Amino acid sequence: MSEVLTAPKLRDCRDAFVAVLERLGAENEKVVAVCNDSVGSSKLGGFKAKFPERLVNVGIAEQNMVGVGAGLANGGMLPFVCAAAPFLTGRALEQIKADIAYSNANVKLVGISSGMAYGELGPTHHSIEDFAWTRVLPNLPVIAPCDSIETAAAVEWAATYPGPCFLRLSRVGVPDLLPEGHVFELGKANQLRDGSDVTLIANGTLTHRMLKAAEILAGRGVEARVLNMATVRPIDVEAVVAAVRDTGAILTAEEHSTFGGLGSAIAEVVVAEAPAPMKILGVPGIFAPTGSAEFLLDEFGMAPAAVADAAEALIARKR
Amino acid sequence: MQTNDLERVAKGIRRRDLRAVFEAGAGHIGGEMSAIDILTALYFRVLNVMPDDPGNPGRDRFVLSKGHTACALYVTLAKRGFIPEEEISTFLKPHSRLNGHPNCQKVPGVETNTGPLGHGLPVAVGMAKAAKLGGASWRTYVMTGDGEMQEGSNWEAIMAAAQFGLDNLTLIIDHNRFQQGAALADTNNLAPLRPKLEAFGWEVTEINGNDMSEIVPALEHRGDRPHCVVAHTNKGHGISFMQDRVDWHHKVPNAEQYKTAMEELAEEME
Ligand SMILES: Cc1ncc(C[n+]2csc(CCOP(=O)(O)OP(=O)(O)O)c2C)c(N)n1
Ligand SMILES: [Mg+2]
């Protein structure tokens, strides 16, 4: 396993999510949590203890869960619909399209254990299609925070944003990367390191791996810019164009299929606005084998050293 | 196989399942223990299946819709000769074909992939309909969890099965009264199940789903409508400290608990 992953201060972003949710719940009696027998996996036990009547557990029924969320919003409540990401997005996709996005219902969809957090449970439980499924929907910002600080900031933002959004969270521990007090801005990437040879872009559990890869590259005399791009929709066009202008090549990495996710969203900008060589790392369009999330990320070439190698190969393709 | 032998096989499957979950450090042991008696009766008595020819078109079909209890199915398939018994020790290991939910592309004897709840019954309806269309005599069995019955897709399939007159279909509901986070009664209570199924045009048999002498006749019953066996079971059945405790949905025993559980499941206690 990559050493970066065994670093001491790894935090579970679900804790940051529920800490903010519980505070919002205390401040605003309209805040409700909706779930599908997922009180434990969504860490809603504290919310349930504090506001038992505002914890709406519909049972194992995701389509109903999302529809109920839309109705709660219509009735003036502020619902956070929380479920394992594969079932929230995959099972209830049409409800998300029609009841949430098309109806522009003020519902915050919170996908827990996204990516390959449920690695050993197999492809039914891997949520590596959810960027693709959700980012094609109008009205629905898609956000994958990289650490606890950005998670808390994004939940704060979501509570005041007057429309739906999809927050894609993991349960896999990540180190704190953004400064304390960070304010989330929709569609704005954060530059975590500057460089002129290549730009590494990631979000969620991959951002810290990119920083580590950049360190390895620095040791080889290669200067990499690192962008954390939590917002997959709307994509930060300006940051992508600047990355091409300043570094001439972009490598992306995501806990998602290489089809239709963050890399694809960036590639759409690159081909239209600033053609340049790109490398998209992720799960290469297959159903992944059994194994832990960390094992699978390494398996698919997203260990920091492998990312550094891929970045060097990409740089060789410039001009 | 007769009741006594089936009970002995079931106990062996419980032991191997417990060991697999203990060694892997993960699994869904509560719902495995509740279901193992029925799985045993199916594979060692009721189902017409051919381990040497798992894709034989004339085989009976079984779908484990509550796919999170895959380990119990793997052990049962191994004991029945579909996969090597040694392979159980790869459960959840990197690249193992025995992941946390059954994969029909890799594991002989698995008919369709499950894991997301509420998928198995609609697929089973399609299987039973295919047998009807082809004039074939094989039967389709599907097992769901009771919490799983909260998924609306099941009720769509229940309506279809009645409309299609699928007297070759048996739905077994593992009614262990618990789901992932709480009791059904405290979440979204479906009980009593019988009148709901009957209202949708099914024949219903209620049994003690951990009693072999009730399981076998219920599964062998033949009627003129789709048949639902409401199997009243205990989550964690056979291991006293797990029984009817919601946290054993997916808790893993520590070394001491493992030892106690193994003692309770020992051969000579029969
Ligand atoms: C669509 C879907 N939603 C949620 C889950 C997560 N989940 C896995 S098992 C389970 C509880 C199942 O309870 P029940 O059907 O009663 O099974 P059993 O008691 O037999 O284990 C849940 C909610 C899932 N696998 N699929
Ligand atoms: Mg149950």
Side-chain angles (χ1 to χ4, degrees):
Chain A
M1 195 190 295
S2 328
E3 58 188 288
V4 64
L5 303 171
T6 52
K9 298 188 320 295
L10 299 183
R11 292 214 272 158
D12 179 342
C13 293
R14 292 179 298 176
D15 294 321
F17 161 58
V18 294
V20 177
L21 187 69
E22 287 172 30
R23 189 172 44 66
L24 292 170
E27 291 166 6
N28 179 356
E29 62 187 21
K30 303 284 189 203
V31 171
V32 290
V34 188
C35 70
N36 63 331
D37 191 19
S38 53
V39 174
S41 53
S42 301
K43 293 211 171 195
L44 291 171
F47 188 93
K48 184 181 178 187
K50 291 187 174 118
F51 320 108
E53 74 290 354
R54 281 192 270 144
L55 188 280
V56 181
N57 182 356
V58 300
I60 311 168
E62 294 73 20
Q63 300 178 58
N64 186 33
M65 171 181 71
V66 172
V68 166
L72 285 164
N74 173 284
M77 305 303 285
L78 183 56
F80 284 75
V81 174
C82 314
F87 312 132
L88 171 64
T89 59
R91 190 53 160 277
L93 189 55
E94 191 175 80
Q95 278 76 13
I96 293 176
K97 173 184 169 182
D99 311 351
I100 306 294
Y102 184 38
S103 302
N104 205 19
N106 190 11
V107 173
K108 317 306 169 182
L109 302 170
V110 185
I112 310 279
S113 307
S114 62
M116 294 176 295
Y118 285 134
E120 295 91 343
L121 297 187
T124 56
H125 284 54
H126 298 165
S127 198
I128 57 169
E129 308 88 0
D130 52 10
F131 283 153
W133 288 340
T134 56
R135 82 176 182 89
V136 296
L137 298 174
N139 292 344
L140 188 73
V142 176
I143 300 156
C146 69
D147 68 0
S148 291
I149 293 163
E150 188 171 33
T151 300
V155 177
E156 297 276 5
W157 167 87
T160 57
Y161 177 74
C165 62
F166 172 47
L167 298 178
R168 185 194 199 244
L169 308 184
S170 183
R171 62 161 68 201
V172 176
V174 284
D176 289 350
L177 301 175
L178 294 175
E180 210 57 67
H182 171 77
V183 175
F184 179 81
E185 271 186 87
L186 182 67
K188 277 275 161 266
N190 323 103
Q191 183 172 303
L192 301 181
R193 180 180 178 122
D194 202 7
S196 53
D197 297 322
V198 64
T199 302
L200 313 181
I201 308 181
N203 60 23
T205 56
L206 265 302
T207 300
H208 74 111
R209 285 173 178 254
M210 296 306 104
L211 280 171
K212 188 74 186 173
E215 270 172 40
I216 295 169
L217 284 166
R220 301 178 189 172
V222 175
E223 289 308 320
R225 174 179 293 184
V226 176
L227 298 181
N228 171 52
M229 197 169 277
T231 310
V232 176
R233 179 178 180 146
I235 200 78
D236 187 345
V237 175
E238 218 175 289
V240 172
V241 171
V244 171
R245 184 189 62 222
D246 300 342
T247 72
I250 294 178
L251 178 149
T252 66
E254 60 203 291
E255 202 175 330
H256 189 275
S257 169
T258 53
F259 291 65
L262 174 69
S264 300
I266 291 169
E268 287 162 12
V269 177
V270 169
V271 284
E273 309 285 339
M278 266 192 80
K279 177 73 185 172
I280 298 176
L281 296 178
V283 181
I286 60 168
F287 290 114
T290 307
S292 69
E294 288 87 348
F295 166 81
L296 291 170
L297 289 175
D298 289 357
E299 183 84 353
F300 291 123
M302 290 180 276
V307 172
D309 293 345
E312 285 197 293
L314 175 64
I315 290 167
R317 286 173 46 208
K318 285 208 275 186
R319 285 173 302 266
Chain B
M1 218 181 250
Q2 296 309 305
T3 302
N4 283 351
D5 297 320
L6 290 169
E7 283 166 356
R8 187 178 39 78
V9 172
K11 199 166 253 187
I13 293 174
R14 282 199 164 80
R15 282 196 297 271
R16 191 63 193 87
D17 182 275
L18 169 67
R19 190 181 131 201
V21 170
F22 176 68
E23 288 176 355
H28 289 90
I29 197 159
E32 283 161 7
M33 293 299 145
S34 63
I36 280 171
D37 296 306
I38 293 161
L39 289 174
T40 304
L42 283 165
Y43 278 92
F44 288 85
R45 161 105 188 202
V46 177
L47 293 176
N48 176 31
V49 287
M50 306 97 192
D52 299 334
D53 183 16
N56 187 306
R59 71 194 184 279
D60 286 340
R61 274 34 172 207
F62 172 68
V63 176
L64 182 69
S65 191
K66 38 175 275 183
H68 57 286
T69 57
C71 190
L73 180 63
Y74 298 149
V75 175
T76 308
L77 289 173
K79 299 251 184 229
R80 188 69 171 80
F82 283 89
I83 56 173
E85 285 205 51
E86 313 83 72
E87 201 179 330
I88 299 299
S89 59
T90 72
F91 177 56
L92 304 186
K93 295 246 171 75
H95 290 295
S96 169
R97 58 178 175 167
L98 307 183
N99 76 49
H101 298 86
N103 185 336
C104 67
Q105 297 297 303
K106 295 184 176 167
V107 184
V110 175
E111 295 287 351
T112 184
N113 290 353
T114 53
L117 297 165
H119 284 243
L121 180 55
V123 177
V125 166
M127 291 171 175
K129 178 75 176 166
K132 287 279 175 208
L133 290 171
S137 61
W138 50 268
R139 298 186 58 87
T140 302
Y141 295 82
V142 50
M143 187 196 287
T144 65
D146 50 1
E148 180 178 5
M149 293 307 293
Q150 292 160 350
E151 289 285 4
S153 53
N154 287 318
W155 299 93
E156 297 175 20
I158 284 166
M159 288 186 277
Q163 175 70 26
F164 298 159
L166 300 180
D167 57 8
N168 55 352
L169 175 67
T170 302
L171 161 65
I172 305 144
I173 303 178
D174 183 358
H175 195 9
N176 57 26
R177 294 163 280 112
F178 290 91
Q179 47 194 94
Q180 181 170 276
L184 260 76
D186 297 327
T187 309
N188 185 338
N189 199 2
L190 285 158
L193 286 158
R194 176 198 281 275
K196 297 183 177 65
L197 271 295
E198 283 178 346
F200 279 72
W202 284 52
E203 182 179 356
V204 178
T205 307
E206 295 198 65
I207 61 165
N208 176 345
N210 297 123
D211 181 339
M212 215 45 97
S213 66
E214 295 191 28
I215 295 169
V216 171
L219 296 181
E220 288 180 343
H221 171 78
R222 301 284 177 265
D224 59 1
R225 285 178 290 161
H227 184 211
C228 176
V229 177
V230 176
H232 296 272
T233 58
N234 300 309
K235 206 155 175 171
H237 186 85
I239 303 171
S240 56
F241 60 89
M242 292 187 186
Q243 204 157 300
D244 292 352
R245 294 281 312 276
V246 69
D247 44 334
W248 285 103
H249 175 72
H250 54 196
K251 215 169 114 169
V252 177
N254 62 32
E256 196 180 317
Q257 291 166 328
Y258 175 66
K259 191 165 159 282
T260 310
M262 270 300 177
E263 281 162 14
E264 292 190 19
L265 295 174
E267 193 84 52
E268 54 278 8
M269 303 252 322
E270 283 170 28

